[in-house]
Amino acid sequence: MSTTASAAAVEGDALDTKPSLSEKQRRILDYLRSNAGAKTYFKSRLIADDLDLSAKEVGANMRPILDGDFDVTVEKWGYSSGTTWKVTV
């Protein structure tokens, strides 16, 4: 196999290993994308209220977004009166 063919195969494998998001995770990511321009910090309970989820569901579904390679960066920021997420575009 040529070097070019090997590199293409590796790139294809890397693309296949990206985690696919569940429907809830896609909704959370879309919410963060839509609102990140107006805000930087988001509380799980407020995201949950807007998406008709529980704060626990938001927190449980945030890991793939934290670990993924998306156009927004999310980091866990604080825990007082619920988890706060820092989101940057």
Side-chain angles (χ1 to χ4, degrees), residues 7-40:
V10 170
E11 285 179 27
D13 290 343
L15 294 175
D16 294 340
T17 61
K18 276 191 176 178
S20 60
L21 299 178
S22 71
E23 185 266 335
K24 285 180 187 177
Q25 293 159 353
R26 279 192 304 274
R27 286 176 53 208
I28 293 167
L29 181 59
D30 289 343
Y31 177 87
L32 296 174
R33 283 177 173 149
S34 297
N35 293 287
K39 256 167 89 164
T40 303

Side-chain angles (χ1 to χ4, degrees), residues 10-75:
V10 170
E11 285 179 27
D13 290 343
L15 294 175
D16 294 340
T17 61
K18 276 191 176 178
S20 60
L21 299 178
S22 71
E23 185 266 335
K24 285 180 187 177
Q25 293 159 353
R26 279 192 304 274
R27 286 176 53 208
I28 293 167
L29 181 59
D30 289 343
Y31 177 87
L32 296 174
R33 283 177 173 149
S34 297
N35 293 287
K39 256 167 89 164
T40 303
Y41 298 93
F42 297 85
K43 290 223 173 259
S44 286
R45 64 182 163 81
L46 299 177
I47 296 170
D49 288 346
D50 287 346
L51 297 180
D52 199 29
L53 301 169
S54 71
K56 190 172 186 173
E57 285 177 299
V58 171
N61 284 288
M62 198 63 83
R63 177 55 53 195
I65 298 169
L66 289 167
D67 294 341
D69 184 20
F70 300 105
D71 55 346
V72 296
T73 303
V74 180
E75 60 183 286

